[in-house]
Amino acid sequence: MTALSTNNARAERSNKERIPVFDGIRGLSASLVIVAHVAFATIVLSSAAGPPREGFWSIIAAGNDLAIGPFFVMSGLFLYRPFVRYTMAGDKYPHLGKFFARRAARLLPAVWLLAAVSLVALNWSSIQGFWYVVRPFLLMQVYDYTYYAGMDVAWTVPTEAQFYLALPLLAWIGHLFAKGADTPRKKARRMIAPLLALIPIQLAWVAYVHIAFDPWPPQYFYPLGMTGVLTIGMAFAVWNVLAELSPQDTPRSFGFARRHPNLLWAGLLVVFAINCLKPFATPGTADWVSAEAAVTHSILFLLFSYLVMLPLVVPGAASKLMKVVLANPVSRYLGRISYGLYLWHFPVMYVVFGSGSLFEETYLPVQTLLGKFGFWELFVLTFLGTLAVASVSYWLVERPIVNWVQRKTATRKRVDDNFIPPSQPALTSV
């Protein structure tokens, strides 16, 4: 039995049995997202404004736009794994009612709170009827495209929600491919096959959006632009179950990760450096790029996400360095409130800038307020403010609702097959 436990009943009760490095990577990724967005509000400008405002630091900051990838990888890994266990190990099929209830409890309360606060505090003067108010609560602001100040990053929430809806269908397709195979290895290969198609779909969609549309169209935010990185997480789920059921068939990448975990992270630094150079684009800027540049960035995004997560997914592979960076109390706490850190930093930034209905009749996009703050001043104010708001959101809204839904959907323990040694924590997606 691996650290990524297979026991569904224990997983339902595993809120206190979190894997430290996964919490840490959530916290680090959310913090880096804040760094990136503060940079794009201060020192990373369009090339029409001239050379990078802060030279080398602007180039580094502009390259820091890959950090969201681990969140999607973890979604694919955690949520697909029970379905993989059903196909490969004969476990009970996941209860879809409970699955959707728990996903809704984790995803919706925080973003609904964000929508309510953003509408009142930042967009009140822009309200134009009932649909304007309801649209963000239905996660429709991307499709019936409407910009809401403070919900700048919430475009990823519809992507997550639609992945939840599509996952049972994707799992059914994988099961159809694999059900005739007679060994875990063959089943794993057949389950991976349909997943591989999702990676070129991401690249093709990115190219299409940058060829067919004017800069920053609504289609840029559609879920097809994230299918590949979700696929990486789903492939990790398949490989992890294979390694558990048939250790001799462990993927070579897993063996390499155990032997050389730090080398993988060295590789991601190379990918990050290449991304900073912005192939086919201008380093240190925030331009709408060509299709060649966009596809190249998408490939780097996939590679970065894979290299970050591989040594964390393989049981026992995380190095001492990774544990120091990710498993310390600060990183773990930031990981617990990472969803709030991700959602709330833009509203906090608008408040710091004094832009929105609380301060004037209409909001001004943060990009129009460049020069009012320097990078570090805005970052400190934004991060500390977001830390406070995200903590309140987590402890008073998110965690109580998740706990309540989990209690209501808990499955009674069966002593014969639900025991997990205390040294083997359950895999949890919350």
Side-chain angles (χ1 to χ4, degrees), residues 30 38 54 66 70 76 119 163 190 203 284 290 318 361 369 381 389 427:
V38 169
E54 296 292 336
L66 304 174
L119 282 169
F163 174 63
R190 293 188 183 185
L203 300 179
S290 66
E361 290 187 1
L369 301 167
L381 292 172
V389 177
L427 176 64

Side-chain angles (χ1 to χ4, degrees), residues 68-234:
I68 195 176
F71 288 113
F72 288 102
V73 172
M74 284 185 278
S75 289
L77 166 65
F78 293 145
L79 302 182
Y80 190 45
R81 196 170 189 279
F83 294 95
V84 176
R85 289 285 307 176
Y86 164 72
T87 296
M88 294 182 61
D91 281 6
K92 185 178 180 180
Y93 188 76
H95 191 289
L96 293 184
K98 295 177 181 179
F99 171 81
F100 289 125
R102 291 170 183 168
R103 291 303 92 215
R106 187 67 188 98
L107 191 75
L108 294 178
V111 78
W112 283 347
L113 179 62
L114 171 71
V117 171
S118 296
L119 282 169
V120 173
L122 302 177
N123 300 277
W124 186 262
S125 58
S126 301
I127 294 177
Q128 301 172 352
F130 178 76
W131 181 238
Y132 185 92
V133 174
V134 172
R135 188 187 290 112
F137 291 92
L138 298 179
L139 309 183
M140 289 295 294
Q141 72 273 17
V142 170
Y143 302 103
D144 181 17
Y145 187 77
T146 305
Y147 179 77
Y148 293 86
M151 298 193 69
D152 305 59
V153 299
W155 65 271
T156 61
V157 179
T159 297
E160 277 285 318
Q162 286 154 49
F163 174 63
Y164 300 159
L165 294 174
L167 187 57
L169 175 60
L170 296 173
W172 175 72
I173 293 172
H175 184 76
L176 287 182
F177 271 73
K179 68 178 183 178
D182 57 359
T183 66
R185 181 180 182 181
K186 291 179 181 179
K187 288 184 177 180
R189 287 181 173 179
R190 293 188 183 185
M191 293 186 77
I192 291 291
L195 293 179
L196 294 179
L198 297 177
I199 293 177
I201 286 176
Q202 172 176 320
L203 300 179
W205 180 257
V206 168
Y208 168 69
V209 168
H210 284 77
I211 292 172
F213 299 100
D214 293 329
W216 307 111
Q219 291 80 1
Y220 175 83
F221 305 103
Y222 286 8
L224 290 173
M226 290 292 175
T227 57
V229 73
L230 286 164
T231 295
I232 292 173
M234 296 172 71

Side-chain angles (χ1 to χ4, degrees), residues 22 78 81 90 145 169 214-216 249 285 291 383 388 391 405 417:
F22 282 106
F78 293 145
R81 196 170 189 279
Y145 187 77
L169 175 60
D214 293 329
W216 307 111
D249 295 321
T285 62
F383 187 82
S391 295
V405 171
D417 63 357

Side-chain angles (χ1 to χ4, degrees), residues 193-391:
L195 293 179
L196 294 179
L198 297 177
I199 293 177
I201 286 176
Q202 172 176 320
L203 300 179
W205 180 257
V206 168
Y208 168 69
V209 168
H210 284 77
I211 292 172
F213 299 100
D214 293 329
W216 307 111
Q219 291 80 1
Y220 175 83
F221 305 103
Y222 286 8
L224 290 173
M226 290 292 175
T227 57
V229 73
L230 286 164
T231 295
I232 292 173
M234 296 172 71
F236 280 155
V238 174
W239 291 334
N240 184 268
V241 173
L242 173 63
E244 179 183 330
L245 298 177
S246 183
Q248 69 275 14
D249 295 321
T250 298
R252 292 182 180 179
S253 59
F254 275 35
F256 184 89
R258 289 193 185 96
R259 295 190 302 272
H260 308 290
N262 289 334
L263 189 58
L264 292 171
W265 272 23
L268 74 86
L269 292 178
V270 173
V271 172
F272 173 76
I274 296 172
N275 190 60
C276 289
L277 297 176
K278 297 295 178 185
F280 306 107
T282 304
T285 62
D287 296 332
W288 176 257
V289 298
S290 66
E292 293 85 356
V295 171
T296 301
H297 175 269
S298 194
I299 292 171
L300 293 171
F301 179 57
L302 292 169
L303 287 173
F304 181 88
S305 303
Y306 176 83
L307 292 171
V308 168
M309 294 303 301
L310 179 58
L312 307 182
V313 169
V314 177
S319 67
K320 291 182 180 179
L321 171 64
M322 295 171 186
K323 292 176 182 178
V324 168
V325 173
L326 301 178
N328 64 76
V330 173
S331 295
R332 294 187 67 186
Y333 181 74
L334 293 177
R336 281 184 174 271
I337 65 169
S338 58
Y339 188 35
L341 291 175
Y342 180 76
L343 289 178
W344 287 101
H345 66 278
F346 258 103
V348 171
M349 201 183 307
Y350 276 101
V351 171
V352 172
F353 274 122
S355 176
S357 298
L358 284 176
F359 309 98
E360 51 199 348
E361 290 187 1
T362 58
Y363 63 81
L364 295 173
V366 292
Q367 291 81 1
T368 68
L369 301 167
L370 294 169
K372 190 172 181 179
F373 289 95
F375 172 84
W376 288 110
E377 184 181 7
L378 181 59
F379 175 74
V380 170
L381 292 172
T382 300
F383 187 82
L384 293 179
T386 305
L387 181 65
V389 177
S391 295

